[in-house]
Amino acid sequence: KGKMGADSEMVPQMGTAEWGRMNRRRAELIRKKLSGELTESEREEYETLQRLSLAAVDASFPLPELY
């Protein structure tokens, strides 16, 4: 289970199988990006996975409010 992200995509909950699959794919795309082998569609996928990953971290570890 996860939460809906700002762009209506499911944000996987940290520690779940979905989170692990997302991060494995994200790592694969990062390696391709670093080697200059990322296609345009993979770049779009990478950006989506980055956005989802950051949303999951923000949801799990929100910043404290500043007064």
Side-chain angles (χ1 to χ4, degrees):
K1 256 185 180 179
K3 296 182 180 185
M4 294 299 283
D7 53 5
S8 298
E9 294 174 302
M10 286 300 293
V11 177
Q13 186 175 4
M14 293 177 70
T16 63
E18 293 86 8
W19 175 260
R21 283 190 294 275
M22 181 191 74
N23 273 319
R24 282 189 296 279
R25 178 60 178 159
R26 193 168 65 95
E28 179 183 335
L29 294 171
I30 289 169
R31 284 190 291 276
K32 288 184 82 170
K33 180 181 179 190
L34 292 173
S35 67
E37 300 172 2
L38 205 61
T39 66
E40 181 62 25
S41 65
E42 288 172 329
R43 183 192 60 77
E44 291 173 6
E45 180 185 5
Y46 167 72
E47 290 174 358
T48 297
L49 295 178
Q50 285 290 90
R51 197 169 45 253
L52 292 173
S53 177
L54 291 173
V57 170
D58 288 345
S60 295
F61 303 101
L63 294 175
E65 291 187 33
L66 300 177
Y67 296 96

